[in-house]
Amino acid sequence: MAKWTPKHEAPEPLEGPVVPVITGGTIIWFVLFLVQLPFYGWFDDHGHLWWLWTCLAGSALGLLGIRITRRRDAAIKRARAAAEGERAEKSGQAEKSEQAPAE
């Protein structure tokens, strides 16, 4: 069997408002947990108690996801600022070398 090779390059990943999306999803999971909480007895009687705990787990994992994505966004911003600082420094050095008197 021949090795599969792609015919074209993969596109760049889409970057969007990740933190607000995860925050919204976390809020939805927690609201679903709160809405189902008064029906705890019914869920327990019918064997659907896992629905309640799934919502709670979704909201807990969402909190973890918010923390991770906020740290990721901060790291991306720091990397961009560092890259722009290096570019500005290099362009400043190039201007100085052009302005230096030739002896």
Side-chain angles (χ1 to χ4, degrees), residues 61-101:
L61 290 173
L63 291 174
L64 181 64
I66 291 169
R67 182 175 179 202
I68 290 170
T69 54
R70 289 184 73 196
R71 291 176 72 187
R72 177 183 174 268
D73 282 352
I76 290 171
K77 287 178 184 175
R78 282 193 307 269
R80 283 184 188 152
E84 287 176 8
E86 287 178 11
R87 263 189 255 128
E89 185 177 302
K90 286 181 182 178
S91 67
Q93 289 174 354
E95 289 177 7
K96 286 180 184 178
S97 65
E98 290 175 4
Q99 294 175 357

Side-chain angles (χ1 to χ4, degrees), residues 26-91:
T26 303
I27 291 170
I28 290 171
W29 278 115
F30 191 68
V31 167
L32 288 171
F33 171 74
L34 292 177
V35 167
Q36 293 178 6
L37 198 55
F39 303 103
Y40 184 90
W42 185 89
F43 284 122
D44 194 22
D45 293 341
H46 291 87
H48 297 300
L49 199 55
W50 64 272
W51 290 4
L52 187 71
W53 303 124
T54 299
C55 293
L56 186 61
S59 57
L61 290 173
L63 291 174
L64 181 64
I66 291 169
R67 182 175 179 202
I68 290 170
T69 54
R70 289 184 73 196
R71 291 176 72 187
R72 177 183 174 268
D73 282 352
I76 290 171
K77 287 178 184 175
R78 282 193 307 269
R80 283 184 188 152
E84 287 176 8
E86 287 178 11
R87 263 189 255 128
E89 185 177 302
K90 286 181 182 178
S91 67

